[in-house]
Amino acid sequence: MGEPFIPMGEADRAYFLSEMRQMLASIQGVMTGIGTKDRALIYKSAKYSGNRMSRATPDSVRRILPQEFKELGGPTHLMFEELAVRSETDDMATLAEFTGQLMQQCLACHARFRVK
Ligand code: HEC
């Protein structure tokens, strides 16, 4: 295992952490949507942290992220995309289970990396 600390400038770090808080907001919207059976809310919340977010990552941030980080981060955004697609068809219990699986990615990466 390599170094857990990813060195970032102030601006990149602020951007990076705000995207993280947005992913937490996505999870909040997804869980509320599951609880209230609001498919549109699940879709919209999941979409926000999907491919749009990975595309929006500035090159200055992308450049410094280690390969291992990208291998956890890329699939996380893809799972948000999959969640959005599945929100249109799957039952709520299945969506909750999948959201739990998605959140394993959050846990795995948080156990591995810090920014400074
Ligand atoms: C590929 C790695 C990775 C993934 C996946 C990931 N995170 Fe993070 N996250 C980080 C790192 C690194 C930090 C900074 C931790 C530190 O330095 O203390 C962080 C910080 C955060 C923070 C704190 C933000 C702040 O303002 O300090 C929140 C909230 C967060 N993540 C939510 C999530 C959620 C929710 C998910 C899953 C949907 C997720 N993260 C997935 C790497 C990741």
Side-chain angles (χ1 to χ4, degrees), residues 5 13 15 19 25 32 35 39 41 77 86-88 90 100 102 109 113:
F5 291 103
R13 183 169 178 277
Y15 178 86
E19 292 289 76
T32 300
R39 292 186 184 275
L41 178 60
H77 296 302
R86 290 173 64 157
S87 74
E88 299 184 317
D90 287 12
L102 189 165
C109 194
F113 289 109

Side-chain angles (χ1 to χ4, degrees), residues 23-116:
M23 286 205 283
L24 181 58
S26 284
I27 296 288
Q28 191 274 338
V30 166
M31 294 315 294
T32 300
I34 289 172
T36 58
K37 299 189 166 55
D38 182 344
R39 292 186 184 275
L41 178 60
I42 303 171
Y43 182 90
K44 184 180 79 161
S45 304
K47 263 307 214 193
Y48 197 86
S49 293
N51 292 336
R52 184 208 62 80
M53 188 179 281
S54 50
R55 274 197 305 269
T57 305
D59 285 343
S60 56
V61 173
R62 205 183 296 274
R63 259 198 309 274
I64 45 187
L65 297 175
Q67 188 56 31
E68 197 190 332
F69 182 99
K70 292 180 187 157
E71 283 165 12
L72 284 163
T76 307
H77 296 302
L78 290 176
M79 286 177 86
F80 273 114
E81 285 293 327
E82 183 177 342
L83 182 57
V85 171
R86 290 173 64 157
S87 74
E88 299 184 317
T89 51
D90 287 12
D91 62 61
M92 296 300 146
T94 308
L95 291 172
E97 189 182 353
F98 186 71
T99 304
Q101 286 167 18
L102 189 165
M103 291 186 79
Q104 294 284 4
Q105 299 286 122
C106 323
L107 300 188
C109 194
H110 293 162
R112 176 71 183 86
F113 289 109
R114 295 284 177 272
V115 294
K116 67 172 180 190

